[in-house]
Amino acid sequence: MWLGPEEVLVANALWVTERANPFFVLQRRRGHGKGGGLTGLLVGTLDVVLDSSARVAPYRILHQTQDSQVYWTVACGSSRKEITKHWEWLENNLLQTLSIFDNEEDITTFVKGKIHGIIAEENKNVQPQGDEDPGKFKEAELKMRRQFGMPEGEKLVNYYSCSYWKGRVPRQGWLYLTVNHLCFYSFLLGKEVSLVVQWVDVTRLEKNATLLFPESIRVDTRDQELFFSMFLNIGETFKLMEQLANLAVRQLLDSEGFLEEKAPPRPPPRPHRNISALKRDLDARAKNECYCATFRLPRDERLDGHTSCTLWTPFNKLHIPGQMFISSNYICFASKEEDACHLIIPLREVTIVEKADCSSVLPSPLSISTKSKMTFLFANLKDREFLVERISDFLQKMPSKPSGGSQAERKASVVDAAPEPSPAPQELSEQPARPTSPLGGLPGGRAQEAPTASQGLLRLFQRNTPVEDLGAKGAKEKMKEESWNIHFFEFGRGMCMYRTARTRELVLKGIPESLRGELWLLFSGAWNEMVTHPGYYAELVEKSMGKYSLATEEIERDLHRSMPEHPAFQNELGIAALRRVLTAYAFRNPTIGYCQAMNIVTSVLLLYGSEEEAFWLLVALCERMLPDYYNTRVVGALVDQGIFEELTRDFLPQLSKKMQDLGVISSISLSWFLTLFLSVMPFESAVVIVDCFFYEGIKVILQVALAILDANVEQLLGCGDEGEAMTVLGRYLDNVVNKQSVSPPIPHLHALLTSGDDPPEEVDIFDLLKVSYEKFSSLRAEDIEQMRFKQRLKVIQSLEDTAKRSVVRAIPGDIGFSIEELEDLYMVFKAKHLASQYWGSSRPAAVRRDPSLPYLEQYRIDAHQFRELFASLTPWACGTHTPVLAGRMFRLLDENKDSLINFKEFVTGMSGMYHGDLTEKLKVLYKLHLPPALSPEEAESALEAAHYFTEDSSSEEEKGTSPPDYRHYLRMWAKEKEVQKETIKDLPKMNQEQFIELCKTLYNMFSEDPMEQDLYHAIATVASLLLRIGEVGKRFSAWPGRKSRDSAPDEDEPPAPDPPQDPAWELQPPAAGDPQAKAGGDTHPGKTPQESQVVGEGGGGEGRGSPSQPLSDDETKDDLSTSSYSVVSTGSLQCEDLADDTVLVGGEARSPVATTHGGGAVDTDWCISFEQILASILTESVLVNFFEKRVDIGLKIKDHRKVERQFSTSSDHEQSVVLG
């Protein structure tokens, strides 16, 4: 066992050195084991007499350095085996590392730290596991939160002692793996290392061993490479890191909007979860995904448990060892030997579960009988009683649906029951009609009479030529049918079939056309979903009828491009069936909707199955067998393309470099993989590959692709460009033939590539498959999944980089920020969006990203998130008034009023504060104090809202009924392209209350500036001047003889002298003659007390010049600047507190019309223009300098990132994090 290092002064007394190296010594206690002479005998006697053997282990390991006389114990052992294990670990993991250090003191410190870390980790792992967190884990979680500023929502999954390599020096410390972050902390010899990496930023994660890093884990992000080594259990650590990174990448991919099981695990609802609970959830999830993939079960199936057992296989009279898996709807068996036997027993088929009699030959047997009269005998079960109880529980929970049950029973009795052979033609003629019985009652009526509701298109369009009349081909087809019937007799038929190496052999020899649809349903698992969802397809067809969307438009465009050479799709019958299936799937899964290539695959599915069968096969393909293939970015196909490139390097190294130079792999693989070779190979040949694909999965597609390259190596090596290589491969694929096909040959469109006098010789598809299995069968499903994870990181991060570049390019050039600044802002903006996903925000803005939207619209933030970013990045910090200003900026930027802003809108707002001249910056500030920036809570009138919010009601209705299609974005783009240069003349005038708010904002803005007092004096002078200008302007506007605005005063004058008594009346438009003033509006009489309070507190406690301290009337009259200062302050008080002589003027120009006692109204005639504000500010150089000084946003972003995580949760969490 490892020991906490303790000093040993005399290392050789009573001990014998057995092994040594420059840093460690392995010793055996004298008197233990053979030999030792007189000294050993004496020590042995002393140990026995003094009973010291109870305290002294016979073996130990000491740490030493060459020039030191002091030794440190690091491990001891009761046996040679135990101590050797420790010794080997030290040699493998520490020796090479220690040789790097120059200072012996550093070596000893490092070794002691490492040993302490190992001991702590071992102690952690033996903690009792209860409902509450073990003390060590709880302590580690608190330390993690305090050290890295994580909110309470961020859950620690596990932590490990390890070393982080900084340059060539390892830093011993602790690695914390949380749901969303990888964190490392080390404090050694006064040097601190603190790392935080988001899982969504990881581009590469792999376990490797090099000369420099002995067995380490490498974690790459876009801008750094991190190496961690010397783990006690590197396998467990790496597996957990893989799971967490995979979940994060899935979140970026965001197909979880439809498939909930893909969503990252939310922090558990209970506050206390121990170390094993969250990690156990992840492990259970990984096992469940593997279970569903192995047996092709629905994604929502949940594994309950598994146990080792044996299965009696009647076809070879053997007890095969393996594992039994039990879930809520299935009992499955997988043999230890890969091809020996696989079995799936749906619980809906089970009739009897009984414990058979035990015997020495058959211990703990369990018999399971099904409706199809098949009996399965399991034995050697460890806990048979518990197992039977679990199965019984699940059987009782099985839904009792009369229609679905009877259908399943009919299917089972005919298809599964094959104890004695039955005439094949009869059985086959009944087969297609049964699965589609739910569609028979289709309410829409459109598909009800369609022949495709009950059988495949191939049956409807092939010539009625008896198989016997087809000669050798017909005989071969007949032999295949007989072979399968014999197989059904021996191994069972239907879902409960024993699947063995013999099954694979028959699939490779080709499935007869009469059985193809049935076997595709069984091998893909689509049959399970179809039986358990009776009527589902019919409902979707009915719902989708007559509905319009972008997906339906794309479907219509591609319908006539789907196998146009096949007679089944040269008429409306086939086209209509294809339309219904594709549209139904688009409605089932709007995340995918429709993707090119789905039409080609679906058309082939319709040839061999009814509409409902084709629909469920499509579901199996898109959602399970080819994950993420058919989305807007074809991520899955790009991932498998990366795997294909990697396999080409491994299996065909001489060709790999050439293919990369030509850029061929990216061109060929997408068309090969997306359509399963159906678009590049003659139909009769490609369908054989589809047979194997439904049985074996993607492995077959990769094998065949490698075999095709292998067969053309010499020609491809001689190619000079991509076009030549594509021609070589096209000619080869056009001549892959199926000489056994009984269907009439269908002309292949790609055959046009076959030109010249010497067409290549024909290649039999079965020979090609045979070669692919012989040369490349070493591929395993588990290895492919591992490679998929590695490639998925690369592909998705590459797509994210592309999205970032596209978004940055979409930002207009006059925005003012550099490309680097825009990219940094984008990463900050995206991180803020993702934070809402991490910590489960309940706000509506925390909607999942829709990858089907344009890049610019994919990441959006709400007002709360914008306030947090604004507070960190704005150059106009206003203390406690900042959130108010941020809210106004958000409303100004949110032009479509969906309470979300995209990156372009965000950058526009930031640019207005950072770039441009004084006029531009003041214009932004001016707009922040006019509608729509002023919220309804700030007394915006209904008329003003109608004036400024120009969106019409029809667009609102459109928005409510369906998501915007591409034409909506085209219109937006066209509108953006129009030159709309706004001048200062276009800005509406500002009324008195809005002007007061502007002054408040300026006072708060200056509160922490070095020139604070000068700025206060300047703004007080400017404000006082502007107030007088407004008063003078009001007097001129009141003259009846004014030529401009000649009619407006007469119309709007009557309400002015009559003060409003009803609070509702105060929300009416101003009684000013200027239409612009009317547009600007008096927005504040109805201001809520809450808003008044917020604004009033804006300057509280900010310093000597705090603008929110009301001054007395005497002080107001004494000093001009203080007078204006007092005016601004009183603006935040309740209106009835204001006296006549202190309202809104510097002491002279008072208007009896402007205000009334107790009326609560402010001067509605007073207004001022932007030009007047600009001209007044230009008179004060200190104000001009303040607005024209440059602020580096890069520094703001850097500071923001340091504290970002502390603001990612609610305020009470922030306090707990900061205070520890």
Side-chain angles (χ1 to χ4, degrees), residues 117-160:
I118 292 172
I119 293 169
E121 188 169 355
E122 282 185 335
N123 291 341
K124 174 198 71 176
N125 289 334
V126 298
Q127 286 290 328
Q129 296 180 358
D131 287 336
E132 299 294 315
D133 285 337
K136 290 273 183 186
F137 181 73
K138 204 170 190 178
E139 187 182 326
E141 189 164 39
L142 287 171
K143 189 188 290 184
M144 178 271 296
R145 292 217 182 100
R146 189 166 54 244
Q147 188 63 51
F148 303 105
M150 295 288 179
E152 226 173 280
E154 184 69 352
K155 294 293 180 182
L156 179 65
V157 181
N158 213 344
Y159 63 105
Y160 300 93

Side-chain angles (χ1 to χ4, degrees), residues 483-621:
S483 299
W484 277 98
N485 282 328
I486 292 167
H487 184 272
F488 292 149
F489 178 73
E490 292 182 8
F491 297 85
R493 187 170 186 176
M495 213 66 226
C496 300
M497 177 199 301
Y498 293 98
R499 304 173 195 212
T500 66
R502 173 68 181 149
T503 315
R504 176 190 284 163
E505 286 172 21
L506 285 177
V507 172
L508 283 174
K509 287 177 182 176
I511 297 176
E513 297 207 337
S514 56
L515 292 174
R516 189 163 268 144
E518 174 191 345
L519 293 175
W520 282 2
L521 282 168
L522 293 179
F523 295 149
S524 67
W527 173 245
N528 284 321
E529 291 184 288
M530 188 169 76
V531 168
T532 52
H533 295 83
Y536 178 76
Y537 171 68
E539 289 172 17
L540 278 177
V541 171
E542 185 187 9
K543 283 180 188 173
S544 61
M545 277 183 184
K547 298 286 175 63
Y548 171 83
S549 69
L550 180 59
T552 57
E553 186 172 308
E554 290 177 342
I555 289 168
E556 286 299 324
R557 192 173 60 238
D558 284 352
L559 282 177
H560 294 278
R561 303 176 190 172
S562 310
M563 293 188 69
E565 63 272 23
H566 198 287
F569 296 99
Q570 292 169 356
N571 63 80
E572 187 53 34
L573 180 64
I575 295 293
L578 183 59
R579 178 187 292 114
R580 283 192 292 271
V581 173
L582 289 173
T583 307
Y585 186 77
F587 270 75
R588 166 187 164 85
N589 188 346
T591 305
I592 291 177
Y594 170 77
C595 175
Q596 281 190 334
M598 283 171 70
N599 58 322
I600 295 172
V601 175
T602 309
S603 58
V604 174
L605 301 178
L606 276 167
L607 290 175
Y608 294 100
S610 66
E611 283 184 39
E612 187 177 21
E613 290 171 337
F615 170 80
W616 286 111
L617 282 167
L618 185 62
V619 169
L621 270 176

Side-chain angles (χ1 to χ4, degrees), residues 41-258:
L41 188 63
L42 178 62
V43 173
T45 305
L46 285 170
D47 283 345
V48 170
V49 172
L50 301 175
D51 195 26
S52 59
S53 59
R55 297 183 298 277
V56 181
Y59 296 96
R60 72 179 182 182
I61 297 175
L62 303 178
H63 163 62
Q64 62 157 8
T65 51
Q66 291 177 348
D67 298 332
S68 173
Q69 299 301 314
V70 179
Y71 290 73
W72 300 83
T73 56
V74 294
C76 67
S78 57
S79 66
R80 187 178 294 277
K81 184 178 178 182
E82 181 186 359
I83 205 70
T84 303
K85 184 180 174 185
H86 288 335
W87 179 262
E88 287 174 354
W89 191 91
L90 290 169
E91 281 194 326
N92 293 334
N93 289 278
L94 284 187
L95 271 191
Q96 200 167 0
T97 306
L98 295 177
S99 62
I100 295 169
F101 288 92
D102 298 323
N103 189 328
E104 290 189 356
E105 220 175 286
D106 290 355
I107 293 174
T108 302
T109 306
F110 179 84
V111 169
K112 287 162 73 176
K114 183 67 201 170
I115 299 302
H116 279 304
I118 292 172
I119 293 169
E121 188 169 355
E122 282 185 335
N123 291 341
K124 174 198 71 176
N125 289 334
V126 298
Q127 286 290 328
Q129 296 180 358
D131 287 336
E132 299 294 315
D133 285 337
K136 290 273 183 186
F137 181 73
K138 204 170 190 178
E139 187 182 326
E141 189 164 39
L142 287 171
K143 189 188 290 184
M144 178 271 296
R145 292 217 182 100
R146 189 166 54 244
Q147 188 63 51
F148 303 105
M150 295 288 179
E152 226 173 280
E154 184 69 352
K155 294 293 180 182
L156 179 65
V157 181
N158 213 344
Y159 63 105
Y160 300 93
S161 168
C162 71
S163 294
Y164 160 63
W165 292 77
K166 192 166 186 181
R168 297 183 65 223
V169 180
R171 300 294 177 88
Q172 178 62 31
W174 289 94
L175 182 72
Y176 300 90
L177 304 181
T178 73
V179 174
N180 302 297
H181 298 86
L182 175 153
C183 309
F184 176 84
Y185 182 76
S186 168
F187 187 82
L188 200 63
L189 302 174
K191 293 182 179 176
E192 185 181 52
V193 177
S194 182
L195 293 171
V196 177
V197 176
Q198 290 182 336
W199 289 119
V200 289
D201 292 334
V202 173
T203 58
R204 182 176 180 181
L205 180 65
E206 61 185 27
K207 184 169 61 173
N208 53 20
T210 62
L211 288 173
L212 185 59
F213 305 119
E215 201 171 33
S216 61
I217 294 175
R218 175 178 177 172
V219 182
D220 287 8
T221 63
R222 288 177 179 82
D223 42 29
Q224 58 183 339
E225 294 177 4
L226 310 173
F227 289 89
F228 301 93
S229 66
M230 285 175 282
F231 291 92
L232 196 61
N233 189 344
I234 194 167
E236 178 198 325
T237 311
F238 182 70
K239 185 181 175 186
L240 181 57
M241 291 169 81
E242 246 187 357
Q243 288 175 320
L244 293 168
N246 196 35
L247 288 171
V249 166
R250 285 280 174 198
Q251 183 185 5
L252 281 179
L253 181 60
D254 216 308
S255 50
E256 57 266 1
F258 168 66

Side-chain angles (χ1 to χ4, degrees), residues 619-655:
V619 169
L621 270 176
C622 295
E623 294 169 21
R624 289 189 282 111
M625 300 189 72
L626 295 175
D628 310 318
Y629 261 58
Y630 302 104
N631 56 30
T632 49
R633 299 187 289 177
V634 291
V635 173
L638 292 172
V639 167
D640 286 348
Q641 175 185 302
I643 294 175
F644 184 44
E645 289 184 25
E646 199 174 325
L647 293 174
T648 307
R649 281 195 296 274
D650 295 343
F651 288 104
L652 304 168
Q654 77 279 19
L655 185 60

Side-chain angles (χ1 to χ4, degrees), residues 330 528 555 586 661 1191 1205:
Y330 300 89
N528 284 321
I555 289 168
D661 293 342
V1191 181
R1205 290 180 303 280

Side-chain angles (χ1 to χ4, degrees), residues 12-30:
N12 295 317
L14 310 181
W15 293 85
V16 180
T17 299
E18 292 199 339
R19 291 191 191 181
N21 61 43
F23 303 105
F24 298 98
V25 178
L26 190 155
Q27 295 183 332
R28 173 177 53 81
R29 181 99 169 151
R30 290 182 186 273

Side-chain angles (χ1 to χ4, degrees), residues 915-961:
H915 300 291
D917 55 15
L918 171 72
T919 306
E920 292 301 315
K921 289 180 180 176
L922 283 177
K923 195 190 293 183
V924 172
L925 196 60
Y926 186 82
K927 286 181 182 176
L928 291 179
H929 297 82
L930 296 173
L934 287 174
S935 67
E937 287 80 12
E938 294 170 314
E940 173 185 313
S941 73
L943 187 59
E944 289 157 1
H947 182 85
Y948 282 98
F949 293 86
T950 55
E951 187 175 278
D952 58 62
S953 58
S954 62
S955 66
E956 285 290 335
E957 289 169 14
E958 285 174 20
K959 190 181 291 186
T961 53

